[in-house]
Amino acid sequence: MVADMDFADCVELQPELKRLKLRKNNWDCETYQFDEILTETASQKRVYEVVAKPVVESVLEGYNGTVMAYGQTGTGKTFTLGRLGEEDTADRGIMVRAMEDILANVSSVDDTVTVSYLQLYMETVQDLLAPEKDNIAIVEDPKTGDVSVPSATHVELQDQRSFVRLLQAGEANRFAANTKLNTESSRSHAILLVNVRKVVKPKTGDRELIVLNENGGSPQVGKNIRAPTVRKSKLLIVDLAGSERVDKSGSEGHTLEEAKSINLSLTALGKCINALAENSPHVPIRDSKLTRMLRDSFGGTARTSLIVTIGPSPRHRGETASTIMFGQRAMKVENMVKLKEEFDYKSLCRRLETELDRLVAENERQVKARQDEEEENERKLEDTRECAAEAESKLAAAMESIEAERKKFQQDLAEAHQNLEKAEKELKNISQDYQHEKKERNSHAEKLKLQRDLTDAMQKHQKELTDEKQRQQKELADAIQNLELERGQRKRLEQELNQATQELNEATQHLHVKNESLEQGNEVLELKLLLEKETQLREELEQEIQTLKSQPPKLPNGIEAKHNEELLALRRRLDEELKHRERLEEEVRTLREQLTVLSDEGEESRKIIDKVGSGRSSEGSQSPSVHKPTSHMRDTINGQRATIAKLFEQVGLQKILSLLESEDVDVRVHAVKVVANLAAEEANQEKIVEAGGLGSLLMLLQSSEDETIRRVAAGAVANLAMNETNQELIMAQGGIGLLARTADDAEDPQTLRMVAGAIANLCGNDKLQIKLREEGGIRALLGMVRSRHPDVLAQVARGIANFAKCESRGAAQGYKTGRSLLIDDGALPWIVANANNDASPIRRHIELALCHLAQHEVNAKDLVAGGALWELVRISRECSREDIRNLAQRTLNASNTFQTELKRLQLVY
């Protein structure tokens, strides 16, 4: 810290000049030139393209290559080389990016790529992919000097995902320790060995194989028979352990021994670099297994890129200077790259043998086919000769018989001519007689047809007259019946209007609002006038119908046009009267609803206050806000809230809760409404629970038979269930059982919606899942789908989504094992059937529930069997919400069961 006080960094980077300055103090510095300078802001992609990509391209062309990182511990060697990029794809290191390029440029049919992952730990070569191989021998070819490790694990790669899994397994087996300089300090040198075998397709002008023709004559060039060229190369990616000083790292014990081994191997590597840089006749390759493994990388035939990583702190200036000097010396080492290319004569021999066997078999088949063809031709020739002799004999006999028949035919022809002349004469006589008879028969037939047509026309006309008369009588009867029905409707409307007027008068008396009552009275008078007009119209219609009924229709030659017009006018007037009656009924219903609002706000509040004995009945009757029948619903709700707030202030919570046990049903109804409205505010929930309101609400669910009380009580419980503490109290007092029984007994959609909302809130608690299921919570949710009401189904879907989310969270944290309880209780068929529901709230919750169920691998087989896989694929492609769509995509990619099923179905995903 004292050394850092003079200046912040001991290193000044000049990337545009490809050099850096190493400061000795504030006035003196040294300058070093490199092939490339990368600052701390350089991206992983740029590092790869500058350092490693040229080496990877050389490997693909058939040359050996090495990428190596050297530097002080904690300066980013492992990050640069071995970062997997699981959290951020931009953080992928050189190993991952190099393998991506290699796999993208090789053929999966002809080429092979094998990988070994080793570590040099305490001067022993160990296999990171097979930890049991902890002392692998290094083998050198005496002829070529190539270094190999034949006993190491060699894994053939097909795709990038398998390579990432191998790196993950290897990194898990690599030794690391926590020091003062680095929390995850690598204690071994990691070596990734990639062997590439690539078949080069021959081009025009390449070397061709010369073969002799069948007769042993001049040689001919064999078509498509060339010795394939194979290029074998290897890529070494070496993540060296960081050099460290024991006094700074604080290593001791076994960690100290590891540091000594690391420093010894790095020292041996530095000696080799120095010897190569100075063109020394002796290079101490065998001083360390690390230098033996890298024999081809420095001074050999490989194309090598070296990354030196440094830190800017003045405290570590010595290590930084040592690292820079190592890089400067390494730049002086020259390698002679060598293309490793050979002809695959074994493969060519196998191809020639296969081609020879094919040609021999084809020749034998052709010889046999030629012999069979000759035999068949000889047999056909013999048969043809026999047929020709037989045909000649038959032709001679036929000629004789034809001559005899010709003579006989000439005789018959002469007789036929004579008979024909006689027949023509007779035919002429018959034709004259037929023409005469035909004239007589036509005149008689025309008379009969005319009489028959006249008879049919008269019968048809008579039938039409009869049918039309019956139809008109039926229409008149229907019109009379409709008028009778209209009379009944009119009487019922008058009664409802009288009742509404009476209720309106009572409400206005209790609320002491004279202006509003006058306006409502005017509306009643208007309704009475409308009814009187309707009565007059009905009487006029009755008179017209009686007149029509007393005058039978005159149908001399058809239906009179005037009568038709009167019937049409009558029908139109009946339709108008029906529409007018419907409008009148709607106005009466609206008036009744508005009267109910007035009575709820005024009369009932006053009645409750009187029964409590607060002594404020006169104030309570005047306090609610009175609205006109035409006021908006928003003003009504504000007035109700003001009334409830004033009741809460004047009466007190304890007295309101005591009214829940009143014997008067109306008092209980309004009391539970007040409690439900209070429970909707989070600030009141704790007070209600402390005062015993939760127990009173659950008691109403258990004992009350009134549908309104149960509906409002369930809504209040749903409001209280939004708090986690209240959820445990509800479960402890048997609330889930009461809600389940209420759901079984109820048929009203609004009651079912309240119950489903309460259970859905309880489903979101991780601690209550087992008990919730045991007491019938899931069964009650699934039972409420019988309602088919969209609001009820939306709450059921929300509860299932909450339950599935808690299960998914439990499986991820390790305390939830086994198949989902939702699947055990038979919820999967309903979930799959409604995954694409038209209602967006239902569909969104079901899609989320499916994704959470699919995250647990143990549910995968049941989801596939239940048809949920198709819905998951649809969600991953078509879901409108991006978070759910991404969750479905991750779930499908992470599940081996789903991937196997998609491949079996040949579904491209």
Side-chain angles (χ1 to χ4, degrees):
M1 298 299 293
V2 175
D4 288 348
M5 291 175 63
D6 291 339
F7 45 84
D9 296 339
C10 68
V11 177
E12 179 185 351
L13 301 180
Q14 295 177 338
E16 65 279 359
L17 301 177
K18 298 185 179 180
R19 69 183 183 186
L20 61 83
K21 292 182 179 181
L22 179 63
R23 293 193 183 95
K24 294 181 179 180
N25 46 48
N26 286 338
W27 58 86
D28 191 12
C29 64
E30 296 176 352
T31 303
Y32 299 95
Q33 193 77 24
F34 284 91
D35 295 329
E36 191 70 35
I37 298 293
L38 299 170
T39 66
E40 66 274 11
T41 60
S43 65
Q44 291 279 66
K45 181 178 180 181
R46 182 164 176 261
V47 173
Y48 170 74
E49 291 178 347
V50 170
V51 176
K53 191 167 184 178
V55 177
V56 173
E57 292 174 350
S58 297
V59 170
L60 291 171
E61 292 173 359
Y63 301 95
N64 291 342
T66 303
V67 179
M68 184 168 63
Y70 177 90
Q72 183 187 3
T73 181
T75 53
K77 298 182 297 301
T78 303
F79 178 87
T80 303
L81 295 180
R83 191 74 169 182
L84 300 181
E86 294 175 330
E87 297 178 356
D88 186 357
T89 186
D91 285 346
R92 291 171 298 154
I94 288 177
M95 290 183 180
V96 176
R97 294 177 185 270
M99 191 52 63
E100 288 177 354
D101 281 356
I102 290 174
L103 292 176
N105 289 277
V106 297
S107 171
S108 59
V109 178
D110 300 326
D111 305 337
T112 57
V113 179
T114 59
V115 172
S116 299
Y117 200 16
L118 310 173
Q119 71 173 352
L120 182 60
Y121 176 72
M122 301 289 286
E123 283 302 309
T124 59
V125 180
Q126 301 179 3
D127 195 336
L128 290 175
L129 302 181
E132 65 275 5
K133 299 179 181 180
D134 56 358
N135 192 6
I136 299 175
I138 300 175
V139 179
E140 297 182 12
D141 191 335
K143 296 182 180 180
T144 62
D146 291 341
V147 178
S148 62
V149 280
S151 58
T153 302
H154 298 275
V155 180
E156 184 173 347
L157 293 182
Q158 298 296 334
D159 53 21
Q160 183 69 14
R161 188 177 299 176
S162 61
F163 173 67
V164 174
R165 288 197 293 267
L166 288 178
L167 285 185
Q168 290 174 341
E171 288 297 326
N173 296 324
R174 189 177 178 187
F175 287 99
N178 184 5
T179 67
K180 292 182 180 180
L181 297 178
N182 194 349
T183 57
E184 295 183 3
S185 177
S186 301
R187 314 308 292 170
S188 64
H189 306 299
I191 302 173
L192 178 67
L193 176 59
V194 182
N195 289 296
V196 180
R197 183 183 182 275
K198 190 170 183 180
V199 177
V200 181
K201 296 181 179 180
K203 301 179 181 178
T204 305
D206 287 351
R207 179 179 176 182
E208 296 178 336
L209 180 68
I210 306 301
V211 296
L212 296 176
N213 59 13
E214 294 180 356
N215 301 324
S218 60
Q220 296 178 346
V221 179
K223 295 182 179 179
N224 298 326
I225 303 178
R226 299 183 180 91
T229 303
V230 177
R231 291 178 179 174
K232 296 181 180 179
S233 57
K234 65 179 178 180
L235 171 65
L236 283 178
I237 301 179
V238 184
D239 180 13
L240 296 175
S243 61
E244 63 182 55
R245 291 186 180 179
V246 177
D247 58 342
K248 292 184 179 180
S249 64
S251 301
E252 58 184 11
H254 185 67
T255 307
L256 179 60
E257 295 300 323
E258 292 174 341
K260 290 178 181 180
S261 176
I262 292 170
N263 290 336
L264 283 174
S265 60
L266 292 176
T267 301
L269 178 61
K271 290 180 181 179
C272 292
I273 295 298
N274 290 340
L276 290 169
E278 296 172 358
N279 293 325
S280 175
H282 172 69
V283 180
I285 294 294
R286 297 186 174 276
D287 286 359
S288 173
K289 289 186 177 180
L290 175 62
T291 55
R292 291 178 63 192
M293 290 288 292
L294 300 178
R295 180 175 183 175
D296 194 44
S297 301
F298 290 100
T301 61
R303 181 172 184 174
T304 302
S305 283
L306 173 65
I307 312 168
V308 290
T309 59
I310 60 174
S313 174
R315 180 169 175 253
H316 304 297
R317 185 185 182 283
E319 290 86 340
T320 300
S322 175
T323 301
I324 291 173
M325 293 308 299
F326 180 87
Q328 290 289 300
R329 288 190 293 269
M331 289 176 65
K332 299 178 182 179
V333 179
E334 293 184 357
N335 291 359
M336 298 296 293
V337 295
K338 180 182 178 181
L339 179 63
K340 294 191 176 182
E341 186 176 69
E342 61 185 27
F343 294 103
D344 191 357
Y345 290 107
K346 293 182 180 180
S347 174
L348 176 62
C349 182
R350 288 193 298 269
R351 288 172 54 191
L352 290 174
E353 288 178 352
T354 302
E355 183 68 16
L356 179 61
D357 293 338
R358 186 186 67 79
L359 292 174
V360 170
E362 183 66 23
N363 183 50
E364 290 181 352
R365 285 193 292 270
Q366 290 179 358
V367 170
K368 182 69 169 86
R370 190 179 298 110
Q371 292 176 354
D372 294 342
E373 186 179 358
E374 290 177 355
E375 293 177 357
E376 181 67 19
N377 290 336
E378 290 179 357
R379 185 181 60 79
K380 289 182 179 180
L381 181 60
E382 188 64 27
D383 293 341
T384 303
R385 290 173 179 172
E386 294 177 358
C387 291
E390 184 178 356
E392 288 178 355
S393 61
K394 289 181 178 180
L395 180 60
M399 291 297 292
E400 294 178 357
S401 61
I402 289 172
E403 185 64 24
E405 289 179 356
R406 186 176 63 79
K407 293 179 180 180
K408 183 178 180 181
F409 176 74
Q410 289 177 352
Q411 294 177 0
D412 294 338
L413 183 61
E415 294 177 358
H417 278 296
Q418 296 176 1
N419 294 331
L420 181 60
E421 292 176 354
K422 294 180 180 179
E424 286 178 351
K425 294 180 180 179
E426 293 177 357
L427 181 61
K428 187 176 181 181
N429 296 330
I430 292 171
S431 177
Q432 293 176 355
D433 296 337
Y434 175 74
Q435 291 295 332
H436 180 69
E437 292 178 358
K438 184 177 180 180
K439 290 180 181 179
E440 295 179 355
R441 189 164 53 249
N442 287 340
S443 61
H444 181 68
E446 288 177 356
K447 293 179 181 179
L448 293 175
K449 183 179 180 181
L450 181 60
Q451 292 177 358
R452 188 164 53 250
D453 291 342
L454 289 174
T455 303
D456 292 342
M458 292 177 65
Q459 292 177 353
K460 183 177 180 181
H461 184 66
Q462 187 65 29
K463 184 177 181 181
E464 289 178 354
L465 292 177
T466 305
D467 292 342
E468 185 64 26
K469 184 178 180 181
Q470 292 176 355
R471 187 176 66 80
Q472 291 294 332
Q473 291 176 353
K474 184 178 180 181
E475 288 182 356
L476 286 173
D478 292 341
I480 293 170
Q481 186 178 359
N482 289 334
L483 282 176
E484 295 295 333
L485 292 175
E486 292 297 327
R487 286 178 181 175
Q489 293 290 342
R490 179 172 58 80
K491 291 179 180 179
R492 184 176 62 80
L493 287 174
E494 290 176 352
Q495 293 175 359
E496 291 182 358
L497 182 61
N498 293 332
Q499 184 179 356
T501 306
Q502 184 178 358
E503 292 177 358
L504 180 62
N505 293 331
E506 292 175 358
T508 53
Q509 290 174 3
H510 289 297
L511 295 174
H512 304 285
V513 183
K514 297 179 179 180
N515 295 330
E516 283 77 357
S517 63
L518 290 175
E519 294 178 2
Q520 293 171 358
N522 292 333
E523 291 184 0
V524 172
L525 292 175
E526 292 176 2
L527 292 175
K528 286 183 177 181
L529 291 175
L530 292 174
L531 285 176
E532 290 177 0
K533 292 179 181 180
E534 183 186 6
T535 304
Q536 294 176 1
L537 292 173
R538 300 292 169 79
E539 291 176 356
E540 292 176 1
L541 290 173
E542 289 177 1
Q543 292 176 0
E544 292 178 1
I545 291 173
Q546 291 296 334
T547 303
L548 293 172
K549 192 173 181 181
S550 61
Q551 296 177 1
K554 299 178 181 180
L555 302 171
N557 295 321
I559 302 171
E560 293 183 355
K562 182 179 180 182
H563 186 65
N564 288 336
E565 293 177 358
E566 291 177 353
L567 285 177
L568 291 174
L570 180 61
R571 288 178 185 174
R572 284 195 296 270
R573 295 183 68 180
L574 285 175
D575 292 339
E576 292 175 357
E577 290 298 325
L578 182 59
K579 293 179 180 178
H580 181 68
R581 181 178 62 80
E582 290 177 354
R583 287 196 299 270
L584 193 59
E585 289 177 351
E586 183 65 27
E587 292 177 359
V588 172
R589 281 197 297 270
T590 303
L591 184 59
R592 289 179 63 87
E593 290 175 359
Q594 294 166 349
L595 287 173
T596 303
V597 173
L598 290 173
S599 61
D600 286 344
E601 293 181 344
E603 183 65 22
E604 298 302 334
S605 298
R606 184 182 58 77
K607 187 188 297 184
I608 293 172
I609 296 172
D610 291 341
K611 291 188 178 183
V612 175
S614 62
R616 302 177 182 178
S617 59
S618 60
E619 296 176 3
S621 62
Q622 297 174 0
S623 59
S625 300
V626 181
H627 304 279
K628 297 180 181 180
T630 59
S631 62
H632 297 290
M633 187 57 69
R634 180 182 60 191
D635 298 333
T636 302
I637 293 174
N638 292 334
Q640 291 176 353
R641 288 182 178 176
T643 303
I644 292 169
K646 191 162 187 178
L647 282 173
F648 181 63
E649 294 175 359
Q650 294 176 353
V651 180
L653 179 61
Q654 196 63 44
K655 291 183 179 180
I656 295 175
L657 293 177
S658 65
L659 293 178
L660 296 176
E661 302 175 1
S662 173
E663 296 181 357
D664 192 336
V665 177
D666 293 336
V667 174
R668 289 204 305 272
V669 168
H670 289 281
V672 74
K673 287 182 178 180
V674 172
V675 174
N677 281 281
L678 291 174
E681 301 291 336
E682 187 175 357
N684 300 330
Q685 293 180 359
E686 184 177 357
K687 297 178 183 178
I688 294 173
V689 174
E690 290 178 354
L694 177 59
S696 300
L697 292 172
L698 295 177
M699 185 62 67
L700 287 177
L701 285 178
Q702 181 179 5
S703 60
S704 178
E705 297 181 357
D706 187 88
E707 185 72 22
T708 303
I709 293 177
R710 290 193 298 174
R711 179 178 68 252
V712 180
V717 172
N719 289 336
L720 295 176
M722 290 188 290
N723 183 282
E724 185 175 355
T725 304
N726 295 341
Q727 292 172 358
E728 297 178 359
L729 292 175
I730 292 172
M731 294 295 294
Q733 297 182 25
I736 190 63
L738 295 175
L739 290 170
R741 284 196 292 274
T742 303
D744 293 338
D745 298 338
E747 295 296 335
D748 179 42
Q750 297 305 319
T751 303
L752 293 176
R753 180 174 68 86
M754 296 296 182
V755 174
I759 298 177
N761 291 336
L762 295 174
C763 287
N765 195 319
D766 297 348
K767 305 174 184 178
L768 307 177
Q769 289 214 311
I770 302 298
K771 190 173 181 181
L772 183 78
R773 188 245 184 158
E774 290 175 351
E775 296 186 7
I778 299 177
R779 180 188 59 78
L781 272 179
L782 296 176
M784 283 185 279
V785 302
R786 70 182 185 276
S787 171
R788 299 182 181 275
H789 194 280
D791 293 340
V792 180
L793 297 183
Q795 294 297 327
V796 172
R798 184 171 69 88
I800 290 176
N802 289 342
F803 198 93
K805 183 178 181 180
C806 290
E807 284 191 327
S808 175
R809 187 162 53 238
Q813 296 175 359
Y815 63 82
K816 170 68 175 71
T817 59
R819 193 170 68 165
S820 170
L821 300 179
L822 291 172
I823 297 178
D824 290 341
D825 280 2
L828 185 58
W830 185 82
I831 292 174
V832 174
N834 289 270
N836 199 15
N837 196 289
D838 292 337
S840 60
I842 302 173
R843 182 175 66 254
R844 182 177 68 254
H845 289 308
I846 292 299
E847 289 176 344
L848 190 60
L850 264 181
C851 292
H852 286 307
L853 287 175
Q855 283 186 316
H856 199 14
E857 185 67 21
V858 73
N859 299 330
K861 292 184 178 179
D862 294 295
L863 293 175
V864 171
L869 178 58
W870 297 102
E871 294 300 331
L872 283 171
V873 173
R874 180 192 61 78
I875 293 168
S876 69
R877 295 175 176 175
E878 302 176 2
C879 182
S880 58
R881 284 187 49 174
E882 184 178 1
D883 55 341
I884 300 178
R885 187 168 67 249
N886 293 338
L887 179 60
Q889 292 173 358
R890 291 197 302 271
T891 302
L892 288 172
N893 291 330
S895 173
N896 294 329
T897 303
F898 290 154
Q899 290 295 320
T900 303
E901 184 66 14
L902 290 173
K903 290 179 181 178
R904 187 184 69 81
L905 297 173
Q906 297 181 354
L907 182 61
V908 178
Y909 179 73

